[in-house]
Amino acid sequence: MTERNSSSTANDASSNALLDFSGLPRFADFRIDQIDAALDVLLSTAREALLAATDDSTAPKWATVIEPLESATEQLGRAWGVVGHLSSVDDSPELREAHNRNLPRVTQIWTELGQSTELFDRYKALRDSDEFAKLSLTRQRIVDNSIRDFRLGGADLQSPARERYAEIQEKSAALGQKFSENVLDATNAFEWIIVDPDELAGLPQDAIDAAAADAKRNDKAGYRFTLQFPSYFPVMQYAENRDLRQCLYTAYCTRASENALAPTDDTQRLALDNSPVIDQILQLRAEESQLLGYDNFAQVSLVPKMAETPGEVIKFLRDLAKRARPFAELDLEQVRAFAKEELGMSTLEAWDVAFASEKLRQQRYAFSDQEVKQYFQLPRVLSGLFAQVEKLFSVSIRRDQASSWHDSVEFYRIERNGTLLGQFYLDLFARETKRPGAWMNGARSRAKRLTGTQSPIAYLVCNFQPPVGDQPALLTHNDLTTLFHEFGHGL
């Protein structure tokens, strides 16, 4: 991504990339100091749309209430979505500060919209009007769901409960962001340098090469291992050095906790401890539930979902556990016996499970994740994935052009009979500026507007091992299923 320290703060689409909604996000033109100015405009526009929609002279119709309000808030969501996306995949101190500075006022506008009794009344009036029956089933569902969401957003609350609900939303948003930042910072705070190659016994060559390349990038001698998953998991699965496995496992599982191995500085470690963050989030969720008239947050969460009650969910999970547990216990016992008899481990510790399981799999089934990886070269996997999707849905997937936040990001378009259906960014490789995990987010939603149909754009994000040297990136079978999973979300 290009430098983000330009002094441009103009409030127009030509100079502020966040205000241009004519096409794709302009990542190459984005600057951090554009965020405040863009939000000034978009928040003002959203509030003006709210005032217009709730004016006494405005009839409760789709075209006069919902269409203009959704258009205004959709632009706000798209602009803030770019900021949130970049904070997840291209974090920096400057971006983090700007994001956190603006998060309260973005949260506030969504709370204002959700708590607007005047807007709530407009939606209810539309549902009770003759026009409602003339709307498409999709638009009727949108109205019904919006009325449900108004109630969940506190529109029925009276002061001082309304104000307290708004405070809870702002605090919860800040705590959620803090939680993610702590995990990323704690992940990046740990490194383990190995100089002696003998300590790398059992590790596949691509993992060794990646560790050597990482050490070189960080001006370190030898091999650098981190808690980024592509660095961490090969150690757990293949390293014969049990102490190394124990060290990395402990560091990985205690990230962002009071017992974390890194950072070693007590003050910094406590600053990254997510335990009080979790406690506060749970307390706020419990209070929010009480304000809305529910016994607990699980009930609130289930309102828009298929299950009716938390008891229904618990019953399902316990039944599933009851059926699965005997097979899991049998598997674990077999791994324990193998580890004791074949690997000389009197006890099977948590950091031994992946290692012993891999050894057992190789002996019993002549199957190795490392060997299978050779067949899952990323270009071949993408070609196969796209071919399956093209066959299933009678579409074509082709490379497309767009600016992005990193050189490794690719961009594609999906068409049917020459008509654009959607586009997506593919950001597959782990970086220290990128939060862990895999996810799909929307950059722009599909929508039917008065001005025409808007095609969707998605972000598909994973954290795979990047290619080393001239060799293509290799995926594990788990990587493969993750990629297909996220692509399914995108579809």
Side-chain angles (χ1 to χ4, degrees), residues 393-470:
F393 299 103
S394 300
V395 298
S396 62
I397 302 175
R398 301 290 182 267
R399 286 290 294 267
D400 206 346
Q401 298 296 316
S403 64
S404 67
W405 53 96
H406 193 269
D407 292 342
S408 65
V409 175
E410 297 179 351
F411 188 65
Y412 294 86
R413 63 191 289 115
I414 304 178
E415 296 180 347
R416 179 183 290 130
N417 298 326
T419 300
L420 177 66
L421 299 181
Q423 295 159 294
F424 60 93
Y425 297 89
L426 209 54
D427 184 359
L428 298 181
F429 303 123
R431 298 185 296 273
E432 291 187 352
T433 58
K434 186 178 181 182
R435 69 176 173 88
W439 63 92
M440 187 285 301
N441 278 335
R444 185 176 74 190
S445 296
R446 182 178 186 274
K448 286 187 177 181
R449 302 293 185 197
L450 296 176
T451 55
T453 299
Q454 175 178 281
S455 62
I457 306 170
Y459 302 120
L460 303 179
V461 185
C462 298
N463 271 281
F464 302 149
Q465 176 66 55
V468 179
D470 297 330

Coordinates of all heavy atoms in Angstrom, one line a residue, residues 393-470:
F393 N -22.3 -23.1 -11.2 CA -23.2 -21.9 -11.3 C -23.3 -21.3 -12.7 O -23.8 -20.2 -12.9 CB -22.8 -20.8 -10.3 CG -22.9 -21.3 -8.9 CD1 -21.7 -21.7 -8.2 CD2 -24.1 -21.4 -8.3 CE1 -21.8 -22.1 -6.9 CE2 -24.2 -21.9 -6.9 CZ -23.0 -22.3 -6.3
S394 N -22.6 -21.9 -13.7 CA -22.6 -21.4 -15.1 C -22.1 -20.0 -15.1 O -22.8 -19.1 -15.7 CB -24.1 -21.5 -15.7 OG -24.5 -22.9 -15.7
V395 N -21.0 -19.8 -14.5 CA -20.4 -18.5 -14.5 C -18.9 -18.6 -15.0 O -18.4 -19.7 -15.2 CB -20.4 -17.8 -13.1 CG1 -21.8 -17.6 -12.6 CG2 -19.6 -18.7 -12.1
S396 N -18.3 -17.4 -15.2 CA -16.8 -17.4 -15.5 C -16.2 -16.5 -14.5 O -16.7 -15.5 -14.1 CB -16.6 -16.9 -16.9 OG -17.0 -15.6 -17.1
I397 N -15.0 -16.9 -14.1 CA -14.2 -16.2 -13.1 C -12.9 -15.8 -13.8 O -12.1 -16.6 -14.3 CB -13.9 -17.0 -11.8 CG1 -15.2 -17.4 -11.2 CG2 -13.1 -16.2 -10.8 CD1 -15.0 -18.4 -10.0
R398 N -12.6 -14.5 -13.8 CA -11.4 -14.0 -14.5 C -10.7 -13.0 -13.7 O -11.3 -12.3 -12.9 CB -11.8 -13.3 -15.8 CG -12.6 -14.3 -16.8 CD -11.7 -15.3 -17.4 NE -12.4 -16.2 -18.3 CZ -12.9 -17.3 -18.0 NH1 -12.9 -17.7 -16.8 NH2 -13.6 -18.0 -19.0
R399 N -9.4 -12.9 -13.9 CA -8.6 -11.9 -13.2 C -9.1 -10.5 -13.6 O -9.5 -10.3 -14.8 CB -7.1 -12.0 -13.6 CG -6.4 -13.2 -12.9 CD -6.2 -12.9 -11.4 NE -5.3 -11.9 -11.1 CZ -4.0 -12.0 -10.9 NH1 -3.5 -13.2 -10.9 NH2 -3.3 -11.0 -10.6
D400 N -9.1 -9.6 -12.7 CA -9.5 -8.2 -13.0 C -8.5 -7.2 -12.4 O -7.5 -7.7 -11.7 CB -10.9 -8.0 -12.3 CG -11.7 -6.9 -13.0 OD1 -11.1 -6.2 -13.8 OD2 -12.9 -6.8 -12.8
Q401 N -8.6 -6.0 -12.7 CA -7.7 -5.0 -12.3 C -8.3 -4.1 -11.2 O -9.4 -3.6 -11.3 CB -7.3 -4.1 -13.5 CG -6.6 -4.9 -14.6 CD -5.2 -5.5 -14.1 OE1 -4.4 -4.8 -13.4 NE2 -5.0 -6.7 -14.5
A402 N -7.5 -3.9 -10.1 CA -7.9 -2.9 -9.1 C -6.7 -2.6 -8.2 O -5.8 -3.5 -8.0 CB -9.0 -3.6 -8.2
S403 N -6.7 -1.4 -7.6 CA -5.7 -1.1 -6.6 C -6.0 -1.9 -5.4 O -7.1 -2.2 -5.1 CB -5.6 0.4 -6.4 OG -6.8 0.8 -5.8
S404 N -5.0 -2.2 -4.6 CA -5.2 -2.9 -3.3 C -4.2 -2.4 -2.2 O -3.5 -1.4 -2.4 CB -5.0 -4.4 -3.6 OG -3.6 -4.7 -3.9
W405 N -4.2 -3.1 -1.1 CA -3.5 -2.7 0.1 C -2.1 -3.4 0.2 O -1.3 -3.1 1.1 CB -4.3 -2.9 1.3 CG -4.8 -4.3 1.4 CD1 -4.3 -5.4 2.1 CD2 -6.0 -4.8 0.8 NE1 -5.1 -6.5 1.9 CE2 -6.2 -6.2 1.1 CE3 -7.0 -4.2 0.0 CZ2 -7.2 -7.0 0.7 CZ3 -8.1 -5.0 -0.5 CH2 -8.2 -6.4 -0.1
H406 N -1.9 -4.4 -0.7 CA -0.6 -5.2 -0.6 C -0.4 -5.8 -2.0 O -1.3 -6.2 -2.7 CB -0.7 -6.3 0.4 CG 0.6 -6.9 0.8 ND1 1.1 -8.0 0.2 CD2 1.5 -6.5 1.7 CE1 2.3 -8.3 0.7 NE2 2.6 -7.5 1.6
D407 N 0.9 -6.0 -2.3 CA 1.3 -6.5 -3.6 C 0.8 -7.9 -3.9 O 0.6 -8.3 -5.0 CB 2.8 -6.5 -3.8 CG 3.4 -5.1 -3.8 OD1 2.6 -4.1 -4.1 OD2 4.6 -4.9 -3.6
S408 N 0.6 -8.7 -2.8 CA 0.2 -10.1 -3.0 C -1.3 -10.3 -3.2 O -1.8 -11.4 -3.5 CB 0.6 -10.9 -1.8 OG -0.1 -10.5 -0.6
V409 N -2.1 -9.2 -3.1 CA -3.5 -9.3 -3.2 C -3.9 -9.4 -4.7 O -3.4 -8.7 -5.5 CB -4.2 -8.0 -2.6 CG1 -5.7 -8.1 -2.8 CG2 -3.9 -8.0 -1.1
E410 N -4.9 -10.3 -5.0 CA -5.4 -10.5 -6.3 C -6.8 -10.1 -6.4 O -7.5 -10.1 -5.4 CB -5.2 -11.9 -6.8 CG -3.7 -12.3 -6.9 CD -3.6 -13.8 -7.3 OE1 -4.6 -14.5 -7.4 OE2 -2.4 -14.2 -7.6
F411 N -7.3 -9.7 -7.6 CA -8.7 -9.2 -7.8 C -9.3 -10.0 -8.9 O -8.7 -10.2 -10.0 CB -8.7 -7.7 -8.0 CG -10.0 -7.1 -8.0 CD1 -10.8 -7.1 -6.9 CD2 -10.5 -6.5 -9.2 CE1 -12.1 -6.5 -6.9 CE2 -11.8 -5.9 -9.2 CZ -12.6 -5.9 -8.0
Y412 N -10.6 -10.4 -8.8 CA -11.2 -11.2 -9.8 C -12.7 -10.7 -10.0 O -13.2 -10.0 -9.2 CB -11.3 -12.6 -9.4 CG -10.0 -13.3 -9.3 CD1 -9.2 -13.3 -8.1 CD2 -9.5 -14.1 -10.3 CE1 -8.0 -13.9 -8.0 CE2 -8.3 -14.7 -10.2 CZ -7.5 -14.6 -9.1 OH -6.3 -15.3 -9.0
R413 N -13.2 -11.0 -11.2 CA -14.6 -10.7 -11.5 C -15.3 -12.0 -11.9 O -14.7 -13.0 -12.4 CB -14.7 -9.7 -12.6 CG -14.1 -10.2 -13.9 CD -14.0 -9.0 -14.9 NE -15.3 -8.5 -15.5 CZ -15.7 -7.3 -15.2 NH1 -15.0 -6.5 -14.5 NH2 -16.9 -7.0 -15.7
I414 N -16.6 -12.1 -11.5 CA -17.5 -13.2 -11.9 C -18.5 -12.7 -12.8 O -19.2 -11.7 -12.6 CB -18.2 -13.8 -10.6 CG1 -17.1 -14.2 -9.6 CG2 -19.0 -15.0 -11.0 CD1 -17.7 -14.7 -8.3
E415 N -18.7 -13.4 -14.0 CA -19.6 -13.0 -15.0 C -20.5 -14.2 -15.4 O -20.1 -15.3 -15.3 CB -18.9 -12.5 -16.3 CG -18.1 -11.2 -16.0 CD -17.4 -10.7 -17.3 OE1 -17.3 -11.5 -18.2 OE2 -16.9 -9.6 -17.3
R416 N -21.6 -13.9 -16.0 CA -22.5 -14.9 -16.6 C -22.9 -14.3 -17.9 O -23.6 -13.2 -17.9 CB -23.7 -15.3 -15.8 CG -24.6 -16.3 -16.5 CD -25.8 -16.7 -15.6 NE -25.4 -17.5 -14.5 CZ -25.8 -17.2 -13.2 NH1 -26.6 -16.1 -13.0 NH2 -25.5 -18.0 -12.2
N417 N -22.6 -14.9 -19.0 CA -23.0 -14.4 -20.4 C -22.6 -13.0 -20.6 O -23.3 -12.2 -21.1 CB -24.5 -14.6 -20.6 CG -24.9 -16.1 -20.5 OD1 -24.2 -17.0 -20.9 ND2 -26.1 -16.3 -20.0
G418 N -21.4 -12.6 -20.1 CA -20.9 -11.3 -20.3 C -21.4 -10.3 -19.3 O -21.0 -9.1 -19.4
T419 N -22.3 -10.6 -18.4 CA -22.8 -9.7 -17.4 C -22.1 -9.8 -16.1 O -22.0 -11.0 -15.6 CB -24.3 -10.0 -17.2 OG1 -25.0 -9.8 -18.5 CG2 -24.9 -9.0 -16.2
L420 N -21.6 -8.7 -15.6 CA -20.9 -8.8 -14.3 C -21.9 -9.1 -13.2 O -22.9 -8.5 -13.0 CB -20.3 -7.4 -14.0 CG -19.6 -7.2 -12.7 CD1 -18.4 -8.1 -12.6 CD2 -19.2 -5.8 -12.5
L421 N -21.5 -10.1 -12.4 CA -22.3 -10.6 -11.2 C -21.7 -10.1 -9.9 O -22.4 -9.8 -9.0 CB -22.4 -12.1 -11.2 CG -23.1 -12.7 -12.4 CD1 -23.2 -14.2 -12.2 CD2 -24.5 -12.1 -12.6
G422 N -20.3 -10.0 -9.9 CA -19.7 -9.6 -8.7 C -18.2 -9.7 -8.8 O -17.6 -10.2 -9.8
Q423 N -17.5 -9.1 -7.9 CA -16.0 -9.1 -7.9 C -15.5 -9.4 -6.5 O -16.2 -9.3 -5.5 CB -15.5 -7.7 -8.3 CG -15.9 -7.4 -9.8 CD -15.8 -5.9 -10.0 OE1 -16.6 -5.1 -9.5 NE2 -14.9 -5.5 -10.9
F424 N -14.2 -9.8 -6.4 CA -13.7 -10.1 -5.0 C -12.2 -9.9 -5.0 O -11.5 -10.2 -6.0 CB -14.0 -11.6 -4.6 CG -13.6 -12.7 -5.5 CD1 -12.3 -13.3 -5.2 CD2 -14.3 -13.1 -6.6 CE1 -11.9 -14.3 -6.1 CE2 -13.9 -14.1 -7.4 CZ -12.7 -14.7 -7.1
Y425 N -11.7 -9.5 -3.8 CA -10.3 -9.4 -3.5 C -9.9 -10.7 -2.9 O -10.6 -11.3 -2.0 CB -10.0 -8.3 -2.6 CG -10.3 -6.9 -3.2 CD1 -11.6 -6.3 -3.0 CD2 -9.3 -6.1 -3.8 CE1 -11.9 -5.1 -3.5 CE2 -9.6 -4.9 -4.3 CZ -10.9 -4.3 -4.1 OH -11.2 -3.1 -4.6
L426 N -8.7 -11.2 -3.2 CA -8.1 -12.4 -2.6 C -6.8 -12.1 -1.9 O -5.8 -11.8 -2.5 CB -7.9 -13.5 -3.7 CG -8.0 -14.9 -3.4 CD1 -9.4 -15.3 -2.7 CD2 -7.9 -15.8 -4.6
D427 N -6.9 -12.1 -0.5 CA -5.7 -11.8 0.3 C -5.4 -13.0 1.1 O -6.0 -13.2 2.2 CB -6.0 -10.5 1.2 CG -4.8 -10.1 2.0 OD1 -3.7 -10.7 1.8 OD2 -4.9 -9.1 2.7
L428 N -4.4 -13.8 0.7 CA -4.3 -15.2 1.2 C -3.1 -15.4 2.2 O -3.1 -16.4 2.9 CB -4.1 -16.2 0.0 CG -5.3 -16.3 -0.9 CD1 -5.0 -17.3 -2.0 CD2 -6.6 -16.6 -0.2
F429 N -2.2 -14.5 2.2 CA -0.9 -14.8 3.0 C -0.8 -14.0 4.3 O -1.3 -12.9 4.4 CB 0.3 -14.5 2.1 CG 0.3 -15.2 0.8 CD1 0.3 -14.5 -0.4 CD2 0.2 -16.6 0.7 CE1 0.3 -15.2 -1.6 CE2 0.1 -17.3 -0.4 CZ 0.2 -16.6 -1.6
A430 N -0.2 -14.7 5.3 CA 0.0 -14.1 6.6 C 1.0 -13.0 6.6 O 2.0 -13.0 5.8 CB 0.5 -15.2 7.6
R431 N 0.7 -12.0 7.4 CA 1.6 -10.8 7.5 C 1.5 -10.4 9.0 O 0.5 -10.6 9.7 CB 1.2 -9.6 6.6 CG 1.3 -9.9 5.2 CD 1.0 -8.7 4.4 NE -0.4 -8.2 4.6 CZ -1.4 -8.6 3.9 NH1 -1.3 -9.5 2.9 NH2 -2.6 -8.1 4.1
E432 N 2.5 -9.7 9.5 CA 2.5 -9.2 10.9 C 1.5 -8.1 11.0 O 1.2 -7.7 12.2 CB 3.9 -8.8 11.3 CG 4.9 -10.0 11.4 CD 6.2 -9.6 12.0 OE1 6.4 -8.4 12.2 OE2 7.0 -10.5 12.3
T433 N 1.1 -7.4 10.0 CA 0.2 -6.3 10.0 C -1.3 -6.8 9.9 O -2.2 -6.0 9.8 CB 0.4 -5.3 9.0 OG1 0.4 -5.9 7.7 CG2 1.8 -4.6 9.2
K434 N -1.5 -8.1 9.9 CA -2.8 -8.7 9.6 C -3.2 -9.6 10.7 O -2.4 -10.4 11.3 CB -2.6 -9.5 8.3 CG -3.8 -10.2 7.7 CD -3.4 -10.9 6.4 CE -4.5 -11.5 5.7 NZ -3.9 -12.3 4.5
R435 N -4.5 -9.4 11.1 CA -4.9 -10.2 12.3 C -5.1 -11.7 11.9 O -5.3 -12.0 10.7 CB -6.2 -9.6 12.8 CG -7.5 -9.8 12.0 CD -8.7 -9.2 12.7 NE -9.9 -9.2 12.0 CZ -10.8 -10.2 11.8 NH1 -10.5 -11.4 12.4 NH2 -11.9 -10.0 11.1
P436 N -5.0 -12.6 12.9 CA -5.0 -14.0 12.6 C -6.4 -14.4 12.1 O -7.4 -13.8 12.2 CB -4.6 -14.6 13.9 CG -4.0 -13.6 14.7 CD -4.7 -12.3 14.3
G437 N -6.4 -15.6 11.5 CA -7.7 -16.2 11.1 C -8.0 -16.1 9.6 O -7.1 -15.8 8.8
A438 N -9.2 -16.4 9.3 CA -9.7 -16.3 7.9 C -11.1 -15.8 7.9 O -11.9 -16.2 8.8 CB -9.6 -17.7 7.2
W439 N -11.5 -15.0 7.0 CA -12.8 -14.4 7.0 C -13.2 -13.8 5.7 O -12.4 -13.7 4.8 CB -12.9 -13.3 8.1 CG -12.0 -12.1 7.8 CD1 -12.4 -10.9 7.1 CD2 -10.7 -11.9 8.2 NE1 -11.3 -10.1 7.1 CE2 -10.2 -10.6 7.8 CE3 -9.8 -12.7 9.0 CZ2 -9.0 -10.1 8.0 CZ3 -8.5 -12.2 9.2 CH2 -8.1 -10.9 8.8
M440 N -14.5 -13.6 5.5 CA -15.0 -12.9 4.4 C -15.8 -11.7 4.8 O -16.6 -11.8 5.8 CB -15.9 -13.8 3.6 CG -16.4 -13.2 2.2 SD -17.7 -12.0 2.3 CE -19.0 -12.8 3.2
N441 N -15.5 -10.5 4.2 CA -16.3 -9.3 4.5 C -16.8 -8.7 3.2 O -16.2 -8.9 2.1 CB -15.4 -8.3 5.2 CG -15.4 -8.5 6.7 OD1 -16.3 -9.2 7.3 ND2 -14.3 -8.1 7.4
G442 N -17.8 -7.9 3.3 CA -18.3 -7.3 2.1 C -17.7 -5.9 1.9 O -17.7 -5.1 2.9
A443 N -17.2 -5.6 0.7 CA -16.8 -4.3 0.4 C -17.9 -3.4 -0.1 O -18.0 -2.2 0.1 CB -15.6 -4.3 -0.6
R444 N -18.9 -4.1 -0.8 CA -20.1 -3.5 -1.3 C -21.1 -4.5 -1.5 O -20.8 -5.6 -2.0 CB -19.8 -2.8 -2.7 CG -20.9 -2.0 -3.2 CD -20.5 -1.3 -4.5 NE -20.4 -2.2 -5.6 CZ -19.9 -1.9 -6.8 NH1 -19.4 -0.7 -7.0 NH2 -19.8 -2.7 -7.8
S445 N -22.3 -4.3 -1.0 CA -23.4 -5.3 -1.1 C -24.2 -5.2 -2.4 O -24.3 -4.1 -3.0 CB -24.4 -5.0 0.1 OG -23.7 -5.3 1.3
R446 N -24.7 -6.3 -2.8 CA -25.6 -6.3 -3.9 C -26.9 -5.6 -3.5 O -27.4 -5.8 -2.4 CB -25.9 -7.7 -4.4 CG -26.8 -7.8 -5.6 CD -27.1 -9.2 -6.0 NE -27.8 -9.3 -7.3 CZ -29.1 -9.3 -7.3 NH1 -29.9 -9.2 -6.2 NH2 -29.8 -9.4 -8.5
A447 N -27.4 -4.7 -4.4 CA -28.6 -4.0 -4.0 C -29.3 -3.5 -5.3 O -28.7 -3.2 -6.3 CB -28.3 -2.8 -3.2
K448 N -30.6 -3.5 -5.2 CA -31.4 -2.9 -6.3 C -31.8 -1.5 -5.8 O -32.6 -1.3 -4.9 CB -32.7 -3.7 -6.6 CG -32.4 -5.0 -7.3 CD -33.7 -5.7 -7.7 CE -33.4 -7.0 -8.5 NZ -34.7 -7.6 -8.9
R449 N -31.3 -0.5 -6.5 CA -31.6 0.9 -6.3 C -32.5 1.4 -7.3 O -32.7 0.8 -8.4 CB -30.3 1.7 -6.2 CG -29.2 1.2 -5.2 CD -29.7 1.4 -3.8 NE -28.7 1.1 -2.8 CZ -29.0 0.8 -1.6 NH1 -30.2 0.9 -1.1 NH2 -28.0 0.5 -0.7
L450 N -33.0 2.6 -7.0 CA -33.9 3.3 -8.0 C -33.0 3.6 -9.3 O -33.6 3.7 -10.4 CB -34.4 4.6 -7.5 CG -35.4 4.4 -6.3 CD1 -35.8 5.8 -5.7 CD2 -36.6 3.6 -6.7
T451 N -31.7 3.8 -9.1 CA -30.8 4.1 -10.2 C -30.3 2.9 -10.9 O -29.6 3.0 -11.9 CB -29.6 4.9 -9.7 OG1 -29.0 4.2 -8.6 CG2 -30.1 6.3 -9.2
G452 N -30.6 1.7 -10.4 CA -30.2 0.4 -11.0 C -29.6 -0.6 -10.0 O -29.7 -0.3 -8.8
T453 N -29.2 -1.7 -10.5 CA -28.6 -2.7 -9.6 C -27.2 -2.5 -9.4 O -26.4 -2.3 -10.3 CB -28.9 -4.1 -10.3 OG1 -30.3 -4.3 -10.5 CG2 -28.3 -5.2 -9.4
Q454 N -26.8 -2.7 -8.1 CA -25.4 -2.5 -7.7 C -24.8 -3.9 -7.5 O -25.3 -4.7 -6.7 CB -25.3 -1.7 -6.4 CG -24.0 -1.6 -5.8 CD -24.0 -0.8 -4.5 OE1 -24.1 0.5 -4.6 NE2 -24.1 -1.4 -3.4
S455 N -23.7 -4.2 -8.2 CA -23.1 -5.5 -8.0 C -22.2 -5.6 -6.8 O -21.7 -4.6 -6.3 CB -22.2 -5.8 -9.3 OG -21.1 -4.9 -9.4
P456 N -22.1 -6.8 -6.2 CA -21.4 -6.9 -4.9 C -19.9 -7.1 -5.1 O -19.4 -7.5 -6.2 CB -22.0 -8.2 -4.3 CG -22.3 -9.0 -5.5 CD -22.8 -8.0 -6.6
I457 N -19.1 -6.7 -4.1 CA -17.7 -6.9 -4.0 C -17.3 -7.5 -2.6 O -17.9 -7.0 -1.6 CB -16.9 -5.6 -4.2 CG1 -17.4 -4.9 -5.5 CG2 -15.4 -5.8 -4.2 CD1 -16.8 -3.4 -5.6
A458 N -16.5 -8.5 -2.6 CA -16.2 -9.1 -1.3 C -14.7 -9.1 -1.1 O -13.9 -9.1 -2.0 CB -16.7 -10.6 -1.3
Y459 N -14.3 -9.2 0.2 CA -12.9 -9.4 0.6 C -12.8 -10.8 1.1 O -13.6 -11.2 2.0 CB -12.5 -8.5 1.8 CG -12.6 -7.0 1.6 CD1 -13.5 -6.2 2.4 CD2 -11.9 -6.4 0.6 CE1 -13.6 -4.9 2.2 CE2 -12.0 -5.0 0.4 CZ -12.8 -4.2 1.2 OH -12.9 -2.9 1.1
L460 N -12.0 -11.6 0.5 CA -11.7 -13.0 1.0 C -10.3 -13.0 1.6 O -9.3 -12.8 0.8 CB -11.9 -14.0 -0.1 CG -13.2 -14.0 -0.9 CD1 -13.2 -15.0 -2.0 CD2 -14.3 -14.3 0.1
V461 N -10.2 -13.3 2.9 CA -8.9 -13.2 3.6 C -8.6 -14.5 4.3 O -9.4 -15.1 5.0 CB -9.0 -12.0 4.6 CG1 -7.6 -11.8 5.3 CG2 -9.5 -10.7 4.0
C462 N -7.3 -14.9 4.1 CA -6.8 -16.1 4.8 C -5.4 -15.7 5.3 O -4.9 -14.6 5.1 CB -6.7 -17.3 3.9 SG -8.3 -17.8 3.3
N463 N -4.8 -16.7 6.0 CA -3.4 -16.5 6.5 C -2.5 -17.7 6.2 O -2.1 -18.4 7.1 CB -3.5 -16.2 8.1 CG -3.6 -14.7 8.4 OD1 -2.6 -14.0 8.4 ND2 -4.8 -14.3 8.7
F464 N -2.3 -17.9 5.0 CA -1.5 -19.1 4.5 C 0.0 -18.7 4.5 O 0.4 -17.5 4.5 CB -1.9 -19.5 3.2 CG -3.4 -19.9 3.0 CD1 -4.1 -19.8 1.9 CD2 -4.0 -20.5 4.1 CE1 -5.4 -20.1 1.7 CE2 -5.4 -20.9 4.0 CZ -6.0 -20.7 2.8
Q465 N 0.8 -19.7 4.4 CA 2.3 -19.5 4.3 C 2.6 -18.9 2.9 O 2.2 -19.5 1.9 CB 3.0 -20.8 4.5 CG 4.5 -20.7 4.2 CD 5.2 -19.9 5.3 OE1 5.1 -20.2 6.5 NE2 5.9 -18.9 4.9
P466 N 3.2 -17.7 2.9 CA 3.5 -17.2 1.5 C 4.6 -18.0 0.8 O 5.3 -18.8 1.5 CB 4.0 -15.8 1.9 CG 4.5 -15.8 3.3 CD 3.6 -16.9 4.0
P467 N 4.7 -17.8 -0.5 CA 5.7 -18.6 -1.2 C 7.1 -18.1 -0.8 O 7.3 -17.0 -0.4 CB 5.4 -18.2 -2.7 CG 4.6 -16.9 -2.6 CD 3.8 -17.0 -1.4
V468 N 8.0 -19.0 -0.9 CA 9.4 -18.7 -0.6 C 10.2 -18.9 -1.8 O 10.2 -19.9 -2.5 CB 10.0 -19.7 0.5 CG1 11.4 -19.4 0.8 CG2 9.1 -19.6 1.8
G469 N 10.9 -17.8 -2.2 CA 11.7 -17.8 -3.4 C 10.9 -17.9 -4.7 O 9.8 -17.3 -4.8
D470 N 11.3 -18.8 -5.6 CA 10.6 -19.0 -6.8 C 9.5 -20.1 -6.8 O 8.8 -20.3 -7.8 CB 11.6 -19.3 -8.0 CG 12.6 -18.2 -8.2 OD1 12.2 -17.0 -8.0 OD2 13.7 -18.5 -8.6

